[in-house]
Amino acid sequence: MDTFTPASPSFLGPHHLVHRPGSPEAFLLKATAPIRQNFAFSAQLPEENPLFGDSASPYHDLLFPLESLRRTMSFAARRYFRVPAGRRLVMASAGAAVTRLDAWRRDGRRAGIALDLGMTPLDVVSGVPRGLECQATVSIDGKRCGTASARLVFPAQEAHQSPRALGGQEGEGSAAARDSGPASAGLPLPEQVGRLDSRDVLVGPPAYAGPDDGGGLVFPVRATTAAELPADAPGALPPVLLLELSRQVGLLAAAELRGFVPSYAVLSRWQATFRSLVEPGVPLRCSVREGVRRADGQVSRDEAGRPVIDLRLSFRQGERVVAGVSAAVVQDC
């Protein structure tokens, strides 16, 4: 069993990663075939949100296990799957879900988190994959309580062009003019999005969308934080930022559309697909609409009888969709 403690980025803090090879050959890193590899990750959940440093939520955040998975995949791609050091690692999709809510409630003490990960190489050419897929189960203090998944791709260097070169032909001026979004005066209160500091409110007040946006709500994004977060590629929307934006939009939309109380609302499922790079200097907005609805119009409920709302989020710059998200928010009452 290959056990080591890699250098600990401040985001994750001290943590352990264990490689669980499925064959004796897998102990020899250069000899193992490009096949599925299993890993175990463990750490302590931070007392405060490691990204923003403040939280009014009584629940642990999906952000930590998802970022742990992303960084573990990036490490394993280089060490175990022979991906060259110069090759970029880009997140194509990612997701996480809560399967046992009681384990995610904070109880005033440090909790331990563990991920059991299985990574499968994709499109292998000359022993080197062009992508990597990961499925993981999440446990908190020994209770299996969630899942996480992601897909990384390793495009050639020349594939990283500006969004305009990839097909987005509209200029910054015209995009900004159409994408000015709702009026930015007056932000949501921090507690409405589970924060304590107004500087960590990343979305503006919503407006009701017209038929061109599929109805629902539209939120302008205050994405200045993106420049300070680790991106997968120049201009990419960092997964941790997209998850936090989705959580804030989800809580606000659940309150607006179904009357959920933000302090008891939890982002319980999140699945994102990254479709395009984000163009610097062009406003970003998020449109959100309710997904699956009951025929009688009443709020849906999960298997425990708690109110839950299914949401579809679309992040856009001008007419270009940069990311699509399917999410669920549950009212824990």
Side-chain angles (χ1 to χ4, degrees):
M1 184 178 293
D2 187 6
T3 306
F4 53 90
T5 304
S8 299
S10 59
F11 189 100
L12 299 184
H15 59 277
H16 296 274
L17 183 64
V18 177
H19 178 215
R20 293 175 170 169
S23 67
E25 292 80 14
F27 284 104
L28 304 174
L29 301 185
K30 295 185 181 297
T32 183
I35 59 175
R36 176 186 169 101
Q37 301 286 338
N38 297 316
F39 301 84
F41 172 95
S42 62
Q44 279 193 316
L45 281 165
E47 294 178 335
E48 294 183 338
N49 185 294
L51 180 60
F52 298 98
D54 73 321
S55 176
S57 174
Y59 310 93
H60 298 297
D61 202 316
L62 286 175
L63 184 150
F64 189 88
L66 190 66
E67 182 64 4
S68 300
L69 179 145
R70 188 185 76 89
R71 296 199 182 200
T72 299
M73 290 181 71
S74 298
F75 177 84
R78 309 291 193 199
R79 177 157 182 170
Y80 293 98
F81 293 99
R82 309 175 188 173
V83 177
R87 189 71 62 86
R88 291 192 183 277
L89 281 62
V90 179
M91 188 73 77
S93 63
V98 172
T99 58
R100 182 175 174 178
L101 187 56
D102 64 296
W104 294 82
R105 297 190 187 102
R106 299 177 185 270
D107 60 6
R109 60 184 180 83
R110 295 294 294 274
I113 186 169
L115 278 70
D116 288 318
L117 310 100
M119 300 187 200
T120 304
L122 305 173
D123 193 14
V124 178
V125 177
S126 300
V128 178
R130 294 181 177 176
L132 190 62
E133 191 172 68
C134 181
Q135 301 288 332
T137 58
V138 180
S139 299
I140 296 177
D141 283 345
K143 298 177 182 177
R144 183 168 292 189
C145 58
T147 60
S149 62
R151 184 167 61 90
L152 287 179
V153 294
F154 317 129
Q157 196 74 16
E158 58 270 17
H160 289 274
Q161 307 174 50
S162 71
R164 207 171 298 148
L166 293 172
Q169 297 297 323
E170 68 184 334
E172 290 185 13
S174 62
R178 286 199 299 275
D179 198 27
S180 56
S184 58
L187 293 175
L189 296 174
E191 54 267 28
Q192 291 180 287
V193 296
R195 294 281 165 237
L196 300 174
D197 191 329
S198 60
R199 291 173 295 184
D200 290 337
V201 178
L202 301 183
V203 296
Y208 279 91
D212 291 343
D213 277 310
L217 302 170
V218 177
F219 294 82
V221 174
R222 304 172 67 211
T224 54
T225 308
E228 304 172 3
L229 298 177
D232 295 306
L237 190 65
V240 289
L241 178 64
L242 184 65
L243 176 57
E244 176 62 16
L245 287 170
S246 301
R247 193 188 63 79
Q248 293 193 16
V249 166
L251 264 59
L252 290 168
E256 180 73 18
L257 299 174
R258 289 294 185 174
F260 283 20
V261 179
S263 57
Y264 291 98
V266 186
L267 182 68
S268 59
R269 177 176 53 79
W270 182 80
Q271 184 67 46
T273 300
F274 300 86
R275 299 179 181 175
S276 175
L277 300 185
V278 176
E279 189 168 3
V282 179
L284 179 68
R285 75 180 191 271
C286 177
S287 59
V288 56
R289 58 182 176 82
E290 194 167 353
V292 179
R293 301 187 64 177
R294 287 175 37 158
D296 59 8
Q298 297 297 311
V299 66
S300 298
R301 295 185 179 272
D302 66 7
E303 61 278 2
R306 293 179 290 247
V308 61
I309 182 172
D310 181 74
L311 299 171
R312 298 292 183 268
L313 286 67
S314 181
F315 290 86
R316 297 173 180 264
Q317 286 190 307
E319 300 303 317
R320 185 166 48 85
V321 177
V322 297
V325 172
S326 170
V329 176
V330 63
Q331 180 81 61
D332 187 23
C333 57

